[in-house]
Amino acid sequence: MSVDILLASGRRAIERLMVDECVIEAVTGSTTDLETGEVVDTVSEVYSGKCRVQQAAPSASDQRVGEADLLMLTRVLQLPVLASAGVRAGHRVRITACQHDPDLVGRRFVVRAEFAKSHATSRRVGIEEATS
């Protein structure tokens, strides 16, 4: 059996487990509301569709940002390889649906790590969430 056939089969199998949905955006600039002074990021959508959130190993780190203590939670996001080309570190992730864990819906992450390999069955990216 050829590598192409095996890879396609593996991708179909892992995508059947991707029952969650997410939106990934890149910040392209910002605008300032002249009345409130609030800075609002402008974004472009990089990916929207099925995904799977995993926790490879329990990991968290405490960071101090200004006066705030933040707990940084790390996860792995799995995406279809062909549909998610262009997802990069710094992009924002929002979980829009989660079939088996409703607590994930609405959570926001930032892509912090990119992983790549020749025979990937899914695109795996490291994501991080800051909580106070």
Side-chain angles (χ1 to χ4, degrees):
M1 191 173 288
S2 79
V3 171
D4 291 338
I5 292 171
L6 287 172
L7 191 54
S9 176
R11 287 178 177 176
R12 281 191 303 274
I14 194 73
E15 286 184 32
R16 281 194 290 274
L17 295 173
M18 294 181 193
V19 295
D20 306 332
E21 298 279 329
C22 68
V23 173
I24 301 176
E25 300 170 327
V27 176
T28 57
S30 63
T31 59
T32 303
D33 183 313
L34 297 176
E35 290 184 24
T36 65
E38 180 182 3
V39 176
V40 178
D41 291 333
T42 55
V43 297
S44 67
E45 190 175 283
V46 176
Y47 173 80
S48 179
K50 57 187 168 182
C51 66
R52 182 177 185 213
V53 178
Q54 295 285 285
Q55 183 161 343
S59 62
S61 64
D62 291 313
Q63 293 185 9
R64 187 162 188 80
V65 178
E67 297 287 321
D69 288 317
L70 300 177
L71 177 64
M72 306 304 286
L73 302 174
T74 303
R75 307 280 189 272
V76 174
L77 183 68
Q78 296 178 347
L79 304 165
V81 173
L82 299 177
S84 62
V87 173
R88 297 288 180 262
H91 289 170
R92 297 178 182 176
V93 178
R94 180 172 36 92
I95 306 301
T96 57
C98 185
Q99 184 173 338
H100 300 293
D101 186 357
D103 191 45
L104 280 172
V105 177
R107 298 200 36 198
R108 296 175 181 271
F109 301 86
V110 174
V111 176
R112 294 291 185 209
E114 301 174 39
F115 306 101
K117 61 183 188 176
S118 297
H119 300 108
T121 53
S122 70
R123 182 175 315 284
R124 292 169 175 87
V125 293
I127 56 175
E128 192 172 63
E129 175 185 33
T131 64
S132 50

